[in-house]
Amino acid sequence: MPYTKLWSKIPLTTAFTLLITAGSSLLAATAEELVERQSGSSPFSGQFCDYTSFQTSVVGSRLLMFGGNLTINKGTNSKEKRELESGFQFFSLFLNETFQATDNATDYLRREPDPAAEKRIASMRDGGAFSYNGDIFFYGGQQLFNAGDDDIIYKCTPTSQNIVWNSAAISGNVRRTITKGASVDASSENKGFYFGGQDIIAKGADDSQADRVLNGTSSNNLIVLSFSPGKQEFTNITAPVSRAKPLVESNLLFVPAGKEGILVNLGGDDGTGDGAWEDLQVFDIGSSTWFNQRTRGNLTSGNSKNPGTGTCSVIASDGDNHFIYVYGGSNRAPGQSQLAILTIPAFQWFTVSNQNYPSKVNAQCQLAGERQMLILGGRSSNGRGDCGGNSFLEILDISSLEIVSSFPNNNPFTPPPLVRTAANSSNPLDGWTDPELQGLYETQYQTFAERNQESKSDKGTIIGGVVGGVAGVLLLSIVAVFFIMRSHRKKSARDVKEAVAEVNRNSVAQPFLGQPSPGFPSPAFPSGEYQHAYQPGYPPGHIYKDDYIVEAPPNPAPAELPSANPAARPMELPS
Ligand SMILES: *[C@@H]1O[C@H](CO)[C@@H](O)[C@H](O)[C@H]1NC(C)=O
Ligand SMILES: *[C@@H]1O[C@H](CO)[C@@H](O)[C@H](O)[C@H]1NC(C)=O
Ligand SMILES: *[C@@H]1O[C@H](CO)[C@@H](O)[C@H](O)[C@H]1NC(C)=O
Ligand SMILES: *[C@@H]1O[C@H](CO)[C@@H](O)[C@H](O)[C@H]1NC(C)=O
Ligand SMILES: *[C@@H]1O[C@H](CO)[C@@H](O)[C@H](O)[C@H]1NC(C)=O
Ligand SMILES: *[C@@H]1O[C@H](CO)[C@@H](O)[C@H](O)[C@H]1NC(C)=O
Ligand SMILES: CC(=O)N[C@H]1CO[C@H](CO)[C@@H](O)[C@@H]1O
C-alpha cells in the first residue's frame, strides 16, 4: 500500500505518537550525519572522469542526482584506467550550504546509500525525474534491474534522514517504456513533461537483464504528469509530425508565458543528426497545442553549425523577457563556443565564446538562485582521455557569463549586455511563424495557485492559514514532546520516516530553484561526436552508427553491492 494512503488511515492519536518518535530519531540522525560529513569520505572510488545519463531533481534545498553512468580513473594513467563505477549512483548536493566548485568534490557532494540493495528500483538511465511536494517521481528511462512492469514507476521521498522508496502507478494511455526523452518540471503548474525519446522493451521478470533500447524508434509524443496531493495523472499527447518532429535527447524548457505556460523544445536528434535549432517546437499548455517558431541568429562556431546533441539548458526571466542558456553539445569541440543563448520573445540566438568555458557533453544543468547555472557531470567533448580535465561541477554566472567558483550568489539576475538589445523586442524578429501562437503567448501568465486563488472565495485563504498553523504546532510538538517522552518508541523507523516526510511535505513550501533540463548522451559514446561535426584537428573516433537493438550489459546484482552508508539504512528502533 502506498504510504500516503497508509498515513491517511492512521488515527490522529497514533499519528501524534509517530511524530514523537519521529522527533527523536530525526535528532539522532542529524548528529550522525554531521560526524559522517566531517570525515569527508570521497563520493567516488577513484578520480572522477565523467558522469552521464543520470537524472536530477531538487527537493527543498537539496539537489539529488540518480543513476546513470559514472566513470572513474582508478589508476594513474587517465587514458587506460577509466572504469565504469559499479552499482547505483546516488548523490546529494546541498544548495543551502556554501562551497567552492574548485574544491575537492568531497566538500560539496555526498554519496547516498544504494537503494537497489533493498529494492531493485530506480537504477536507471535517461529518464525524467519530477519533483512534487517533497516526492521525486521517475518516469521513462532504461531500467537496469527490471524492477518495473509496464505500468509501474518509482518515486522516492528524501528526508533529512534517509530516502524512502515506493512504487507509483501510471494511468491513462501511457507506458513507461520510453527513454532518452526530454523532461522538465513545471512546478508552478504542478506538472511534469517528458517529450519524445526512443522506445524500449522491458525485460520483464528477467532480473539479470536491462531494458533494451530500440533504435530507429524515435517519438514525438508528449507525456504529461499532473500532480495533486496523493495522486498523479498521466496523459499522452500525440502531435502531427509537421508540428513536432520526433526528437531524441532534446531539451525541454518551461516558459512562464501564455495562460498556463508554454514549453520550448530545442536541440536533440531527429535521426539525421539534426535537432530543432532554427525552427523550435513550442507547446502551449493551456490549449494543448504544438506550434513551430522560427528563430534568428547564427549558431555556427568553427565548422559546426549548431551545438548538436548532449546539450543542457536552463531558463531565466527578466519581466516579460526570457533567456534560455544552452551549454555544451556533441558538436562543440574544446575551443569552440560552448554557450548559446536564446532570447524570447525575440527568438534570437546568440553564441558566446570564452576560453575558460570547458567543453561538456551530456551534462545536466540546474539553475540555483537567480543567476548561477550549475553544470553537473557530463564529459569533455574531446574524447575520453582527459579524466583529469573534466570537473564534476562547473558554475556559470548567467549575468556576467563567467565561470565562477563560489556558491551561492544571491544577487538578482540581470540579462547580460550581449542579449539586451534583443530584449527590447516584444515580437519574434522573424515574426510569428504561426500567428495563432502570438495570441496565446501574449496572455499574461499566472501560476496554477494564482489562477485558483482568483476563482475562489476568501474561505480558501482562511483554511490555508489554519492548516499552516496546525502543521507548525505539530512540528513544535515533535521537538517538545521528544524531551518528555524519550522512551516511547513503538513504531518501526520506516513508519517514522514516512510520518516525518508527510509532515514536511504538508508544511514546507519549496523554493523555486529553476528547472533541470537534461542533457542526454549521444549514442556513439565514448567518442560521441557525429561525423559531420568534426573539426580539423579533431580526428573522428567512432562514427555514429545505430544498432537495431542496443543492449546494455546488466549491472552487478544489487545484493553484491557494498553499502555506501549502512548507518542510514532503515532499521528497527529498539522498543
Ligand atoms: C578528494 O578527497 C578525497 C577524500 O578526502 C581524497 O581521497 C582524494 O584524493 C581527494 N582528491 C583530490 C583530487 O584531491
Ligand atoms: C541544508 O538542508 C539540509 C536538509 O535539506 C539540512 O540537513 C542541513 O543541515 C542544511 N544545512 C545548512 C547549512 O543549513
Ligand atoms: C502515446 O500514444 C501513442 C499513440 O497511441 C503510442 O503510440 C505511444 O506508444 C504512447 N506513448 C507512451 C509513452 O505511452
Ligand atoms: C555564421 O557565422 C559564421 C562564422 O561565425 C560564418 O562563417 C557564416 O557565414 C555565418 N552564417 C550566416 C548565415 O550568417
Ligand atoms: C532598449 O530600448 C531602450 C529604449 O528605446 C534603449 O534606451 C536601450 O538602449 C535599448 N537597449 C539596447 C541594448 O539597445
Ligand atoms: C552506460 O554504461 C553501459 C555499461 O553498463 C554502456 O553499455 C552504455 O553504453 C553506457 N551509456 C552511455 C551513454 O555511456
Ligand atoms: C544494427 C541495426 O540493425 N541497426 C539499425 C538501426 O536503425 C537503422 C535505421 O532504422 C537501421 O538502418 C540499422 O540497420
Side-chain angles (χ1 to χ4, degrees):
M1 169 171 15
Y3 66 84
T4 43
K5 279 189 194 148
L6 180 80
W7 180 246
S8 68
K9 291 195 174 105
I10 297 173
L12 192 61
T13 45
T14 319
F16 207 74
T17 316
L18 281 174
L19 290 175
I20 293 162
T21 328
S24 58
S25 94
L26 191 66
L27 291 179
T30 309
E32 253 172 51
E33 194 171 271
L34 283 176
V35 171
E36 186 204 325
R37 298 205 69 193
Q38 275 160 8
S39 78
S41 61
S42 175
F44 313 123
S45 69
Q47 181 199 13
F48 172 74
C49 287
D50 51 43
Y51 189 25
T52 56
S53 295
F54 58 106
Q55 292 76 214
T56 60
S57 193
V58 172
V59 171
S61 54
R62 184 178 187 177
L63 168 63
L64 297 111
M65 288 157 265
F66 304 84
N69 279 7
L70 173 70
T71 61
I72 39 141
N73 172 16
K74 283 189 171 160
T76 46
N77 183 337
S78 64
K79 289 192 169 66
E80 287 161 16
K81 296 275 179 69
R82 202 165 167 281
E83 291 176 21
L84 201 64
E85 184 94 288
S86 66
F88 183 48
Q89 311 311 325
F90 198 174
F91 304 100
S92 291
L93 193 156
F94 289 90
L95 303 174
N96 56 349
E97 297 181 356
T98 59
F99 57 81
Q100 301 290 318
T102 43
D103 284 352
N104 192 326
T106 307
D107 295 336
Y108 57 81
L109 196 65
R110 184 173 84 186
R111 179 178 280 276
E112 301 291 349
D114 185 345
E118 264 192 282
K119 289 181 186 171
R120 300 185 164 200
I121 55 175
S123 193
M124 61 196 269
R125 297 182 193 127
D126 302 321
F130 304 96
S131 177
Y132 172 73
N133 223 6
D135 286 328
I136 301 172
F137 292 80
F138 294 87
Y139 172 75
Q142 179 192 20
Q143 290 190 357
L144 305 184
F145 296 131
N146 296 297
D149 298 329
D150 257 11
D151 54 353
I152 301 273
I153 59 165
Y154 293 93
K155 68 170 181 176
C156 74
T157 313
T159 69
S160 59
Q161 193 178 11
N162 80 346
I163 298 180
V164 179
W165 292 82
N166 274 285
S167 58
I170 298 186
S171 64
N173 176 29
V174 177
R175 300 164 298 118
R176 76 152 180 91
T177 47
I178 187 96
T179 189
K180 296 187 180 181
S183 71
V184 70
D185 256 336
S187 40
S188 59
E189 291 296 310
N190 297 335
K191 284 188 166 120
F193 298 88
Y194 193 82
F195 175 83
Q198 281 176 286
D199 285 339
I200 54 181
I201 299 178
K203 289 292 284 193
D206 185 353
D207 275 341
S208 68
Q209 304 234 29
D211 291 338
R212 290 193 298 174
V213 180
L214 289 168
N215 121 29
T217 57
S218 55
S219 144
N220 69 342
N221 297 311
L222 181 70
I223 306 301
V224 187
L225 292 78
S226 305
F227 298 107
S228 52
K231 78 171 185 199
Q232 59 284 337
E233 276 164 17
F234 291 74
T235 327
N236 177 351
I237 297 173
T238 55
V241 173
S242 58
R243 292 276 178 106
K245 65 176 173 178
L247 288 172
V248 174
E249 309 167 346
S250 62
N251 291 176
L252 194 60
L253 295 121
F254 177 82
V255 185
K259 185 165 179 281
E260 298 176 24
I262 67 165
L263 303 178
V264 167
N265 191 29
L266 59 88
D269 181 2
D270 64 3
T272 71
D274 272 338
W277 295 106
E278 289 83 13
D279 291 295
L280 305 178
Q281 304 181 353
V282 180
F283 182 77
D284 176 63
I285 297 173
S287 62
S288 201
T289 317
W290 280 104
F291 301 94
N292 293 119
Q293 179 56 48
R294 197 160 310 124
T295 62
R296 190 181 281 189
N298 189 345
L299 280 166
T300 302
S301 177
N303 289 348
S304 70
K305 60 178 178 165
N306 62 49
T309 58
T311 55
C312 63
S313 317
V314 299
I315 182 168
S317 298
D318 177 40
D320 290 338
N321 293 300
H322 313 284
F323 305 90
I324 295 177
Y325 291 74
V326 181
Y327 200 89
S330 58
N331 288 357
R332 301 302 206 204
Q336 292 183 325
S337 166
Q338 301 297 329
L339 178 65
I341 306 175
L342 176 76
T343 59
I344 297 177
F347 286 94
Q348 182 174 14
W349 282 110
F350 295 86
T351 53
V352 185
S353 291
N354 182 323
Q355 296 287 346
N356 295 326
Y357 290 175
S359 75
K360 284 278 178 181
V361 190
N362 305 328
Q364 294 271 358
C365 292
Q366 180 78 48
L367 193 62
E370 279 191 33
R371 57 187 279 171
Q372 291 195 324
M373 173 172 173
L374 308 184
I375 303 164
L376 302 153
R379 62 186 168 84
S380 171
S381 67
N382 73 353
R384 60 184 297 171
D386 76 331
C387 283
N390 190 33
S391 307
F392 185 88
L393 171 67
E394 303 283 352
I395 303 176
L396 177 74
D397 183 313
I398 60 170
S399 292
S400 73
L401 302 185
E402 295 295 334
I403 293 284
V404 296
S405 176
S406 294
F407 179 90
N409 178 342
N410 294 321
N411 292 322
F413 167 69
T414 49
L418 173 73
V419 300
R420 274 186 214 145
T421 335
N424 271 356
S425 173
S426 55
N427 283 300
L429 297 182
D430 278 348
W432 293 95
T433 308
D434 202 326
E436 198 189 333
L437 179 59
Q438 177 175 14
L440 293 167
Y441 180 90
E442 285 172 355
T443 307
Q444 176 65 44
Y445 176 70
Q446 290 187 302
T447 65
F448 179 80
E450 286 165 350
R451 295 197 304 274
N452 259 15
Q453 209 162 21
E454 236 168 48
S455 61
K456 276 184 186 163
S457 69
D458 290 350
K459 208 166 95 188
T461 339
I462 293 162
I463 291 171
V466 171
V467 170
V470 168
V473 169
L474 284 178
L475 282 174
L476 282 178
S477 308
I478 290 175
V479 179
V481 180
F482 159 65
F483 289 103
I484 306 162
M485 303 179 74
R486 205 178 250 264
S487 60
H488 284 219
R489 298 179 180 179
K490 290 208 168 80
K491 294 285 167 178
S492 76
R494 162 142 297 205
D495 290 339
V496 164
K497 283 159 196 162
E498 288 165 2
V500 172
E502 190 69 24
V503 169
N504 287 342
R505 265 201 307 282
N506 291 339
S507 58
V508 178
Q510 280 190 49
F512 182 68
L513 283 150
Q515 48 186 319
S517 176
F520 283 107
S522 111
F525 180 88
S527 86
E529 307 231 6
Y530 289 99
Q531 200 182 9
H532 63 79
Y534 282 101
Q535 303 307 304
Y538 289 96
H542 295 208
I543 288 162
Y544 177 77
K545 183 173 164 292
D546 279 338
D547 293 325
Y548 176 62
I549 288 173
V550 182
E551 186 159 4
N555 269 22
E560 292 161 20
L561 297 173
S563 146
N565 181 5
R569 288 186 190 288
M571 62 180 88
E572 291 295 317
L573 289 172
S575 50

